[in-house]
Amino acid sequence: MAEVPKVYLLRGDDEAHIAELLAGFKANLGDASLSDLNTTRFESDSIDLEALRANCLTVPFLAARRLVILEKGRQVLSQLNTADQAKFLQIIDQLPETTALIIVIEDQQVRRKRELSWENERRYAWLLDWLAAHPEDGYLADCALPDDYEMPAWVQKRAQQNGGEFRPDAAQLLATYVGNNTLRANQEVEKLLTYVNGQRPVTAEDVMLLTAQDQEGNIFTLVDALGGRDGQRAMAQFRILLESNEILDLTGMIYRQFRLLIQAREILDEGGDSRQIQQELHVLSFIAEKLTSQARQFSMAQLLAIYARLLAIDEAIKTGEMPGDVAFELFIAELTR
C-alpha cells in the first residue's frame, strides 16, 4: 500500500482553489529551482500516452517526488476510446511512488431535481471507477465555485487569511460586484486590504471607491437591451464590457446574471416581490429591484432557453469550437432579431 496517493484528481471550476492546490504540491517539492525541474505539464487538448508514460516513469532529480500535471483533463479523458482508456489505466497502475500524477478536470456542479451533480461526470466516469477501486492510490479534491450567497463569507475569510478584515456590508457589496468569480474576488480583496493598509476594516465605501461598478452596471444595461430586443444597444454594451474583461470572465458574468434572473422569475411567478428576491438570493436591495425589473422582461421559458444557449457558448469557447466574441455576437443577434 502506498504511503501517499499517486493520482490526484482536482475537479471543479474554482480556478483560484485549484491554483492554490497546485502551488502547494510544488512547494512540497522543496527548493523552487528543483521543483521546476521535477514538474512536467501536459497542457494540450489531447494526450500522447507514451509521452505521459515516459514522464511518469522518470526518476526525480534530487527530490523525493516529481509532479506530472495533466491540464484540460475533461477534454483529454473524454477523447480516449476504450483501448486508450485501458492504456491510461495501465500507466497509473504502474506509477512509481516517486511520481504524483495530478489531473485537473474542469467541470461544474448543476442542480437537478434539487440535487447537485457534476455536469460532465459521465465523460470521465471510467477514471472515477478506478479511483473508487483504489482508494489508497488516488485522491479526489472537489473544487466547485461557491454559491453566490456564500461569497460574502468567502470574502471575509480570505481577508482574515491575508491579515485584514472586511465589514459584513463591504463583503456583501463586493460579492454583488464580482459574483462567485473567486479569482477576481481574490484580486479585489488584496487591493482593498492594501488600500486600508491594516489600519481599519474595509468598508462598503472603500468597495464602491475602488471596485469598478461600471462593469456591473453594463451587465444590467446589456440585459435590458436584450430584453427590449435592442440589438444595436446590446452589441455596443457587449463591446464595452469586452474592452475591460477577458471573454471567459465576461461569459461568467452574463451567465451569472441570467442564473439570478431565472431565480428571480421563479419567485415572481410564485407571487413574490423584490423584497423576497433580496432575502432569498442574498443580494442588496438595489440589486433585487433591478433583478425584479429585468425578470419581468422575460418569460421563464425564454430565460431557460437563454441559459442553455449560454452553456453551449461557454463549451464552444473552452473547446475552441468558436471564438468567444463571435459566439456572443451571434447570440445577441439571434436574441434581438
Side-chain angles (χ1 to χ4, degrees):
M1 178 182 295
E3 294 182 2
V4 293
K6 297 183 290 184
V7 180
Y8 298 83
L9 271 63
L10 311 184
R11 169 174 68 175
D13 51 359
D14 189 343
E15 296 179 23
H17 188 192
I18 291 172
E20 288 176 356
L21 291 176
L22 290 175
F25 279 112
K26 290 197 68 174
N28 287 335
L29 293 181
D31 182 83
S33 60
L34 291 178
S35 70
D36 289 338
L37 287 173
N38 287 299
T39 300
T40 300
R41 286 180 178 267
F42 289 85
E43 300 176 304
S44 68
D45 295 336
S46 58
I47 188 71
D48 180 335
L49 291 177
E50 289 310 312
L52 178 66
R53 184 193 305 275
N55 275 278
C56 286
L57 295 177
T58 299
V59 177
F61 179 70
L62 298 179
R65 300 188 91 184
R66 62 179 278 102
L67 302 180
V68 177
I69 303 172
L70 176 59
E71 304 274 10
K72 301 181 181 180
R74 189 191 73 198
Q75 291 100 310
V76 171
L77 298 176
S78 63
Q79 292 174 16
L80 300 181
N81 58 33
T82 302
D84 285 339
Q85 289 176 13
K87 291 179 182 178
F88 191 95
L89 293 178
Q90 183 183 58
I91 290 172
I92 60 179
D93 278 331
Q94 296 174 351
L95 277 176
E97 294 185 14
T98 53
T99 294
L101 174 61
I102 304 171
I103 305 171
V104 179
I105 299 178
E106 58 286 32
D107 204 348
Q108 59 187 3
Q109 288 187 323
V110 293
R111 190 175 296 278
R112 297 188 177 97
K113 297 181 180 179
R114 298 185 179 182
E115 291 186 2
L116 283 173
S117 60
W118 291 95
E119 185 176 19
N120 299 286
E121 189 172 83
R122 59 183 176 79
R123 298 189 183 185
Y124 51 90
W126 56 274
L127 184 56
L128 295 178
D129 290 340
W130 179 91
L131 197 68
H134 302 80
E136 71 280 5
D137 288 326
Y139 179 79
L140 173 63
D142 284 336
C143 306
L145 283 170
D147 286 333
D148 287 336
Y149 74 87
E150 296 174 315
M151 282 303 295
W154 186 99
V155 168
Q156 290 183 297
K157 181 178 179 181
R158 183 51 57 98
Q160 291 173 355
Q161 291 171 343
N162 287 323
E165 182 183 355
F166 266 63
R167 293 196 185 280
D169 59 341
Q172 187 175 15
L173 184 59
L174 180 59
T176 298
Y177 289 147
V178 302
N180 65 350
N181 184 334
T182 53
L183 283 174
R184 184 178 169 212
N186 189 52
Q187 292 170 354
E188 295 297 329
V189 167
E190 291 180 356
K191 179 175 69 178
L192 287 157
L193 291 179
T194 300
Y195 176 71
V196 300
N197 196 30
Q199 301 300 308
R200 57 178 174 80
V202 173
T203 66
E205 289 75 17
D206 298 325
V207 176
M208 287 188 284
L209 177 65
L210 295 181
T211 300
Q213 301 176 59
D214 59 335
Q215 293 181 359
E216 188 73 26
N218 283 331
I219 284 291
F220 280 109
T221 303
L222 172 61
V223 174
D224 273 335
L226 293 175
R229 304 298 185 268
D230 187 341
Q232 185 175 359
R233 184 169 170 236
M235 197 71 74
Q237 288 300 323
F238 169 71
R239 287 169 180 160
I240 290 172
L241 284 163
L242 195 56
E243 288 177 1
S244 55
N245 294 275
E246 295 293 332
I247 188 64
L248 287 177
D249 289 340
L250 182 53
T251 303
M253 292 165 68
I254 298 174
Y255 178 87
R256 168 180 172 264
Q257 186 69 11
F258 276 96
R259 185 171 71 242
L260 289 171
L261 288 173
I262 288 172
Q263 295 172 297
R265 180 74 260 182
E266 185 176 21
I267 292 170
L268 293 175
D269 288 345
E270 293 175 352
D273 55 17
S274 63
R275 184 178 301 176
Q276 189 171 349
I277 288 173
Q278 178 185 355
Q279 293 173 344
E280 293 196 18
L281 302 189
H282 304 275
V283 296
L284 298 177
S285 60
F286 77 96
I287 297 294
E289 290 171 3
K290 289 183 178 181
L291 289 173
T292 301
S293 174
Q294 289 192 336
R296 287 181 172 141
Q297 298 182 63
F298 301 90
S299 69
M300 179 60 83
Q302 288 174 321
L303 289 171
L304 291 174
I306 291 170
Y307 194 67
R309 184 78 177 96
L310 289 171
L311 285 174
I313 288 174
D314 184 64
E315 181 75 10
I317 295 172
K318 289 178 178 177
T319 58
E321 181 181 334
M322 183 180 295
D325 55 346
V326 175
F328 266 104
E329 287 176 1
L330 288 173
F331 164 73
I332 292 170
E334 291 170 2
L335 194 59
T336 58
R337 65 187 175 189

